[in-house]
Amino acid sequence: MTDLALRPGIRRAAASLHQGGIAAYPTEAVWGLGCDPENASAVQNLLALKRRDPRKGLILIAADIAMCAPYLQGLKPALIEQLQASWPGAITWLIPNNHYASPWISGGRDTLALRVTAHPVAGALNRAFGGPLVSTSANPQGLPPAKSLMKVKAYFGNTLDAYTPGSIGNAATPSEIRNLVTGEVIRAAS
């Protein structure tokens, strides 16, 4: 089986992300927009495209838990085991922010949103990029998330730098969001 990360469309999108671009790619339930979380300009451009308040923070996705290691430093082993038991999958965890992530990712909050994706294309994009990516739904604030590439293009046209091939997974709703320490459900899966 060929690694999707080696496919030309994924490699082009990853190269664009390394140059500060914004890419659209399918996730478990909706199309997502992503960029390099370490590139402040790329993150600001993504937030402007979405018209999203920077104080809301952003989710980071990864292909596996090893990619999340810097963000997990300082977590108790039992909490890391809880993450490992739920990933890959459609649960985004709010973990204590150890400040490895930049404030433009956390929104200045004391938590950081992380998910190990189960979607093959999103995971391949992470692998081709070489680390976690910002992941936010592909829609301007207040409009429904795009469930097709055609809808992403209707929303953003030529303003995005790359589009991966693929289609969304079978999840009916975006990922559930839970607080890892308190167990509180912030956004339930329907």
Side-chain angles (χ1 to χ4, degrees):
M1 184 173 178
T2 304
D3 183 358
L4 289 178
L6 300 176
R7 292 201 175 165
I10 302 287
R11 289 187 11 223
R12 279 192 300 274
S16 177
L17 294 169
H18 278 292
Q19 295 169 357
I22 297 169
Y25 52 88
T27 70
E28 291 87 344
V30 299
W31 275 77
L33 297 179
C35 67
D36 178 352
E38 299 302 317
N39 185 320
S41 178
V43 172
Q44 293 307 315
N45 289 341
L46 185 147
L47 292 169
L49 276 175
K50 280 189 57 91
R51 293 178 252 147
R52 182 180 171 92
D53 183 344
R55 294 173 294 184
K56 287 185 172 187
L58 293 160
I59 294 172
L60 295 180
I61 63 165
D64 56 51
I65 197 166
M67 283 186 179
C68 300
Y71 307 104
L72 304 180
Q73 290 178 4
L75 277 184
K76 294 178 182 175
L79 294 177
I80 293 174
E81 287 174 18
Q82 188 174 348
L83 294 174
Q84 288 173 317
S86 70
W87 284 342
I91 297 178
T92 297
W93 290 99
L94 296 180
I95 65 166
N97 184 0
N98 67 7
H99 302 288
Y100 183 84
S102 302
W104 56 77
I105 298 300
S106 68
R109 297 169 183 240
D110 61 358
T111 57
L112 176 68
L114 282 179
R115 180 172 84 248
V116 171
T117 182
H119 194 281
V121 173
L125 184 58
N126 280 119
R127 287 191 309 280
F129 177 73
L133 295 169
V134 167
S135 185
T136 184
S137 58
N139 59 294
Q141 192 69 37
L143 294 177
K147 291 199 170 243
S148 69
L149 180 56
M150 188 168 70
K151 189 66 171 176
V152 176
K153 289 182 176 183
Y155 281 150
F156 299 107
N158 294 328
T159 61
L160 301 181
D161 301 292
Y163 294 89
T164 69
S167 56
I168 63 171
N170 295 325
T173 59
S175 65
E176 179 171 291
I177 300 177
R178 294 185 195 170
N179 185 301
L180 182 63
V181 174
T182 67
E184 178 187 4
V185 176
I186 311 304
R187 179 175 73 193
S190 324

